[in-house]
Amino acid sequence: MSASSAARVTVAVRSFHKFAAVDGLAHGDPARHVRPSRIPRRLPKALPYDDVARLLAAAGNDETPDGLRDRALVELLYGTGTRVSEAVGLDVDDLDLIGQTVIVTGKGNKQRLLPLGRPAVEALEAYLVRGRPALASRGRGTPKVFVNALGRPLSRQSAYGVLRHAAERAQLTGIIGPHTLRHSYATHLLENGADVRVVQELLGHASVTTTQIYTMVTVDTLRQVYATSHPRAR
């Protein structure tokens, strides 16, 4: 059993014994001193920028409505670091392509204003002008930015499919999904000197502690550079 599974079982057993003791079904709580095992923190998997560039080039590499949508979606995910649920939940009115910003609604319905880079703006413009009208005309009308072949809002599962197909075309190995791009977005910002507090705001993290896991990835990269570059590192 993995550490996370063992921790969940331990919490369930403790809750059961606590309930039994409080409800008078048992004379005491033998599990009250049992503590769940500590779960090792997993470092987020970030793609090297070259792999991200290959993924972006492979996403929606045609001028069909579906292709324009897929390219816009992948550019948005990497260009803003949004969660997949935030991306598929966007309304057209949330986009300000002239001002190069997007309003994202995250967890707890908290909104944040994010900047859009030029590649994302260009991909979104192409999709909104030449792709979305054709897709949306097949449905009953929706304010969502991303729609499927039936003119309905694109689902999270379909967004995962877009990333999976792009990764296959780019010949990238491993499991690559929307969260991989979110991890890559944060890691690349920190590697290029962004302040962790700024990255926290961009990602929509309630606590900087959540964001600091990415600094561990960056420090690991710095160690590798140090080990191979400094004459006294060995």
Side-chain angles (χ1 to χ4, degrees):
M1 187 180 291
S2 67
S4 58
S5 297
R8 282 196 299 270
V9 170
T10 303
V11 170
V13 170
R14 288 180 62 197
S15 298
F16 172 75
H17 281 288
K18 183 177 181 180
F19 161 77
V22 170
D23 219 44
L25 301 176
H27 296 295
D29 181 1
R32 66 184 181 277
H33 297 304
V34 179
R35 294 289 178 266
S37 57
R38 296 190 64 179
I39 302 174
R41 176 171 283 189
R42 295 181 180 179
L43 294 178
K45 178 185 177 182
L47 295 175
Y49 178 70
D50 288 346
D51 285 355
V52 173
R54 288 168 55 193
L55 184 70
L56 292 169
N61 53 1
D62 57 50
E63 286 290 311
T64 63
D66 287 355
L68 292 169
R69 179 203 60 207
D70 294 352
R71 179 62 181 268
L73 176 62
V74 179
E75 285 283 4
L76 177 79
L77 288 170
Y78 176 66
T80 60
T82 52
R83 303 174 179 92
V84 63
S85 57
E86 296 170 343
V88 298
L90 286 175
D91 290 343
V92 174
D93 289 343
D94 293 330
L95 296 171
D96 179 4
L97 298 185
I98 296 177
Q100 297 191 358
T101 58
V102 57
I103 297 174
V104 174
T105 303
K107 294 182 177 179
N109 286 325
K110 293 182 179 179
Q111 292 187 326
R112 61 190 191 277
L113 184 68
L114 300 178
L116 287 170
R118 182 173 296 176
V121 169
E122 292 175 350
L124 285 164
E125 283 179 340
Y127 164 61
L128 292 176
V129 173
R130 303 197 304 274
R132 188 180 181 280
L135 295 173
S137 65
R138 303 169 189 171
R140 297 182 179 179
T142 174
K144 299 303 177 187
V145 173
F146 297 105
V147 294
N148 61 22
L150 299 176
R152 299 170 183 167
L154 194 72
S155 67
R156 295 172 68 254
Q157 292 77 12
S158 295
Y160 273 91
V162 169
L163 264 295
R164 185 173 64 253
H165 295 320
E168 290 173 356
R169 286 194 293 268
Q171 297 182 339
L172 297 177
T173 59
I175 300 174
I176 297 175
H179 231 65
T180 309
L181 291 183
R182 180 171 165 86
H183 294 325
S184 303
Y185 168 84
T187 302
H188 296 165
L189 281 171
L190 289 167
E191 285 180 344
N192 286 283
D195 184 87
V196 67
R197 291 283 183 179
V198 175
V199 177
Q200 175 195 354
E201 292 294 326
L202 291 171
L203 292 175
H205 286 161
S207 169
V208 73
T209 304
T210 309
T211 316
Q212 283 175 335
I213 189 171
Y214 294 104
T215 65
M216 298 171 65
V217 180
T218 304
V219 167
D220 187 54
T221 302
L222 292 176
R223 285 199 187 98
Q224 292 178 13
V225 173
Y226 172 74
T228 57
S229 305
H230 197 279
R232 305 285 286 186
R234 301 175 187 82

